[in-house]
Amino acid sequence: MPNVIVLDNGGGLIKAGISGERDPAAVVPNCTGRPLASKKWLIADQLLAPDADLTSATVRRPIDRGHIINADLQSSIWSHIFSNLLKISPSQSSLLLTEPLFTLPSIQRSIDEIIFEEFNFRALFVADSPSLVHLYEASRRPYGLVSKAQCSLVVDSGFSFTHASPVFQNFTLNYGVKRLDLGGKALSNYLKELVSYRSLNVMDESFLMDDVKEKLCFVSLDAARDLKIARKPGRDNLFKCTYVLPDGVTHMRGFVKDHEEAERYMSLYDSTEHQLPETQNSVDQEDITDDIDSRKKIDVSRIDLSKNEFGLTNERFLVPEMIFRPADLGMNQAGLAECIVRAVNSCHPHLHPVLYESIILTGGSTLFSGFAERLENELRPLVPDKYRVKITAQEDPILGVWRGGSLLASSPDFETMCVSKAEYEELGSVRCRRRFLH
């Protein structure tokens, strides 16, 4: 039996490996980058090299807002992964590829051309992320509700967007999927803006600010309270921390200056020592806007742009706050909790209690500390009292989709589910795609 390559083609990271394995062989950025002082473009895993200086690097991504916009660039990244990282021959292999929900037919055709005509794969199966996450979670807990009811609600918050997707009997119910046009990229861009207004210009520092976001941002369980704490001076401001910039000589990557200082805010959630008097549960639009505006008016002449570090305070929780309150970012969209309720209400009433009790979180943007707790706090008042709300975070939200794909691709029936190269050549892309039912 030929190798089956499992490729979870995310907007931020590509996860690639051989079916049947627990973890992918490669987890690399789905982009290329050119350092400021170089003419050479670094690709995928080369961007992760410890000696790569990515300060002010130019970034090119094949995917924008979840869709492939540069097929040639995507093809070159895939070629690098197949040849140099997986060391496989596509013509001797089959491929399981993940594809975003509601991908345009024109994009599907160009992907099929790359896979069958450029790489000459033997066969192809295209899957969507929610169904693979459901399959993996059901296999992990064979006696759990997800497995017994064959039903779940997958919340996938990744690099490009966030989807709330009902899944029934391993099929994503497309009519119930609700989308929030907000993911890790938008959050990083928002963090760039806040830091650039307050400290120093980091608008060109994509890789650096991704690192800052992942290491220092968290989801607030009480944003109104935390905004008041963030306005306190000195040590009373539990959110104040410092991030050290790379200097290009002794260290090529930025890092958190003092981890103990960065984690002081956690005392708010495991003790009552720093609790403020009871405040409103939700933060007003004016509170956030006023706070941001007041910081924007900082005296620019006092900023030392030669310093090799900058401080963060309320940016740490204002950035992930946008997933729950997109209106504060100027987006005319509902927050994640309301998005989930709308997805459930789109399904048959008999499924409602099971969907609310089997919410699965996946995707890199769910890794923020406090994400699941905040979502449950927001969701509970919107859900009828007779229903139980249970939110499960995947053990590794970044690899969950790939592991589901690995499981599916190693099943004995997988080859019969695929479209072969001969079928593609005979029938064309459109007719072959009908087999995938989405």
Side-chain angles (χ1 to χ4, degrees):
M1 184 175 175
N3 281 336
V4 180
I5 308 304
V6 179
L7 190 67
D8 178 15
N9 197 55
L13 294 172
I14 289 182
K15 287 73 68 176
I18 309 297
S19 68
E21 300 290 332
R22 174 174 165 77
D23 290 331
V27 181
V28 296
N30 190 7
C31 63
T32 60
R34 189 182 67 193
L36 194 62
S38 172
K39 292 183 179 179
K40 181 184 177 184
W41 286 89
L42 303 178
I43 186 169
D45 60 302
Q46 296 170 357
L47 295 165
L48 302 176
D51 59 344
D53 183 3
L54 301 178
T55 307
S56 299
T58 304
V59 184
R60 293 173 61 208
R61 297 187 186 276
I63 291 181
D64 184 46
R65 299 179 191 181
H67 299 298
I68 293 179
I69 57 167
N70 189 332
D72 291 339
L73 179 58
Q74 186 67 86
S75 173
S76 65
I77 294 173
W78 285 352
S79 178
H80 176 80
I81 291 172
F82 297 148
S83 303
N84 301 318
L85 302 183
L86 299 186
K87 294 181 169 55
I88 56 99
S89 170
S91 61
Q92 304 297 317
S93 309
S94 301
L95 177 68
L96 185 151
L97 175 70
T98 64
E99 191 175 76
L101 296 163
F102 313 123
T103 296
L104 298 172
S106 57
I107 296 177
Q108 291 177 336
R109 283 196 296 274
S110 65
I111 291 172
D112 291 347
E113 285 177 14
I114 292 171
I115 289 167
F116 284 122
E117 297 177 23
E118 187 172 329
F119 289 111
N120 293 309
F121 273 100
R122 293 180 68 259
L124 168 69
F125 182 80
V126 178
D128 59 77
S129 300
S131 61
L132 296 181
V133 169
H134 171 89
L135 175 66
Y136 179 65
E137 289 301 311
S139 71
R140 285 186 66 222
R141 300 181 181 88
Y143 302 106
L145 180 64
V146 172
S147 181
K148 286 183 176 179
Q150 280 298 297
C151 183
S152 66
L153 184 83
V154 176
V155 176
D156 184 357
S157 186
F159 183 78
S160 305
F161 47 68
T162 299
H163 278 140
S165 311
V167 180
F168 184 63
Q169 293 184 344
N170 278 352
F171 289 102
T172 303
L173 305 180
N174 285 355
Y175 58 82
V177 175
K178 302 301 174 189
R179 171 168 166 154
L180 179 61
D181 293 317
L182 202 62
K185 183 179 180 181
L187 298 184
S188 293
N189 288 341
Y190 186 44
L191 181 59
K192 285 182 194 176
E193 290 181 19
L194 292 181
V195 173
S196 295
Y197 275 124
R198 301 175 179 186
S199 303
L200 72 163
N201 186 359
V202 291
M203 293 304 291
D204 295 330
E205 303 294 347
S206 296
F207 295 107
L208 184 78
M209 296 314 290
D210 278 343
D211 187 58
V212 174
K213 177 191 70 177
E214 291 163 12
K215 289 179 178 174
L216 292 174
C217 287
F218 65 94
V219 172
S220 170
L221 301 186
D222 189 339
R225 175 202 64 187
D226 291 349
L227 273 174
K228 292 186 177 181
I229 296 175
R231 291 177 181 134
K232 290 187 170 187
R235 293 284 298 176
D236 289 335
N237 183 346
L238 298 176
F239 307 112
K240 191 173 183 179
C241 66
T242 304
Y243 186 86
V244 180
L245 298 166
D247 62 9
V249 181
T250 59
H251 53 278
M252 298 293 184
R253 296 284 191 269
F255 59 90
V256 180
K257 188 173 185 178
D258 184 344
H259 285 280
E260 287 187 8
E261 179 189 50
E263 293 174 358
R264 284 192 307 142
Y265 78 92
M266 296 175 72
S267 63
L268 286 167
Y269 302 119
D270 55 28
S271 76
T272 57
E273 182 183 349
H274 301 283
Q275 292 288 344
L276 294 180
E278 189 68 26
T279 60
Q280 64 192 74
N281 288 328
S282 61
V283 57
D284 290 336
Q285 164 77 32
E286 293 178 4
D287 287 339
I288 291 181
T289 306
D290 290 348
D291 196 73
I292 292 174
D293 288 344
S294 67
R295 294 300 187 99
K296 286 181 183 178
K297 295 170 185 172
I298 191 167
D299 184 0
V300 179
S301 63
R302 291 172 53 207
I303 300 176
D304 181 6
L305 295 179
S306 65
K307 286 184 68 174
N308 67 339
E309 61 186 38
F310 62 86
L312 292 168
T313 54
N314 61 13
E315 302 97 329
R316 299 179 64 189
F317 60 86
L318 284 179
V319 169
E321 184 74 15
M322 296 306 119
I323 293 178
F324 301 93
R325 300 177 65 83
D328 296 338
L329 198 57
M331 296 178 66
N332 186 24
Q333 287 192 295
L336 181 55
E338 191 174 336
C339 203
I340 289 172
V341 172
R342 290 179 179 179
V344 173
N345 288 341
S346 300
C347 301
H348 193 282
H350 288 173
L351 296 179
H352 291 189
V354 183
L355 289 171
Y356 281 126
E357 201 174 335
S358 54
I359 298 173
I360 303 170
L361 300 182
T362 192
S365 295
T366 66
L367 283 169
F368 290 118
S369 172
F371 190 99
E373 294 87 342
R374 171 65 182 278
L375 180 57
E376 186 167 351
N377 291 347
E378 296 249 328
L379 197 55
R380 186 64 268 182
L382 303 178
V383 176
D385 292 338
K386 61 182 178 180
Y387 297 148
R388 185 182 172 207
V389 173
K390 184 180 179 185
I391 299 173
T392 303
Q394 287 204 295
E395 56 181 344
D396 192 333
I398 291 176
L399 301 183
V401 174
W402 189 91
R403 287 172 175 167
S406 176
L407 195 65
L408 178 62
S410 57
S411 66
D413 300 327
F414 179 73
E415 284 292 320
T416 62
M417 298 159 57
C418 293
V419 168
S420 68
K421 188 172 190 295
E423 289 174 310
Y424 167 79
E425 290 171 345
E426 180 185 351
L427 302 174
S429 175
V430 176
R431 288 180 65 182
C432 288
R433 282 277 173 165
R434 292 176 188 167
R435 185 173 300 181
F436 306 138
L437 298 176
H438 55 80

